[in-house]
Amino acid sequence: IALGGFVAQAFQFADAIQDLSDATNISTNAILGFGKAVQASGGDTEKAQQGLLKFVNTIGEAADGSATAQRAFSDVGVTLQDLRTLSEQDLLSKTVQGLAKIDDSGKRSVLQMELFGKALRGVSAQGVAGMFETATADSSKYANAIKAAADAQQNFENIISTLKVEVLAALKHQLIVTG
């Protein structure tokens, strides 16, 4: 039973990573790589995922004209042209590297909070930058397995939903008679 629970959790994890990838337009290997880099730099993978969602929201805010978001990106070396032309994943890479280059730790912390939210509080920007590209490349070997497991999990959830509806439909007469 414990092994079955572990396998179920693995499929749910893969589905969550794939959902995050779909929502952010960041590859699964970059999401895993960012999570590994954050975890090794004082955070955890769940907060890394929260930070990625905030990051993509901040990109949207900057695109919508938020001066605060545009300034934060500018301060880490991401231009308005970058925001218009680079992918979310490329923006993530450029932002991570730009944060690490800021010498003033107070300014770096404020920018990290503005770009990624509270989820990455206390995480070393230099540590993330130092590991991100390598961890992303290392994680690419898992991309196909994550996609396959996420698809299987989604199919399983669809089958269960259909089964529940069919059971309710089959019990409809019984529910009406006794209700």
Side-chain angles (χ1 to χ4, degrees), residues 9-145:
Q9 286 180 346
F11 275 82
Q12 290 166 355
F13 171 77
D15 192 39
I17 295 295
Q18 187 63 53
D19 287 348
L20 183 60
S21 176
D22 293 343
T24 62
N25 292 318
I26 297 172
S27 70
T28 56
N29 51 311
I31 290 169
L32 290 173
F34 186 72
K36 286 179 186 178
V38 167
Q39 187 174 28
S41 302
D44 63 59
T45 56
E46 184 176 318
K47 291 194 177 188
Q49 292 172 16
Q50 293 169 5
L52 287 175
L53 287 172
K54 168 62 172 140
F55 175 73
V56 171
N57 285 338
T58 307
I59 292 171
E61 291 170 6
D64 289 341
S66 165
T68 302
Q70 289 175 356
R71 181 197 46 77
F73 278 114
S74 177
D75 287 351
V76 297
V78 175
T79 66
L80 290 176
Q81 181 67 17
D82 292 336
L83 289 166
R84 283 190 293 272
T85 60
L86 295 180
S87 69
E88 289 84 349
Q89 185 164 323
D90 290 339
L91 288 169
L92 174 63
S93 182
K94 191 166 185 175
T95 300
V96 165
Q97 296 307 318
L99 272 171
K101 292 176 184 173
I102 296 173
D103 292 328
D104 181 337
S105 64
K107 181 177 182 178
R108 187 175 53 247
S109 294
V110 168
L111 289 169
Q112 187 166 307
M113 179 89 70
E114 288 176 1
L115 295 165
F116 293 97
K118 296 177 184 177
L120 298 188
R121 184 182 296 149
V123 172
S124 165
Q126 290 92 346
V128 172
M131 284 193 67
F132 177 59
E133 298 300 328
T134 302
T136 297
D138 289 346
S139 296
S140 66
K141 61 188 168 194
Y142 304 115
N144 290 336

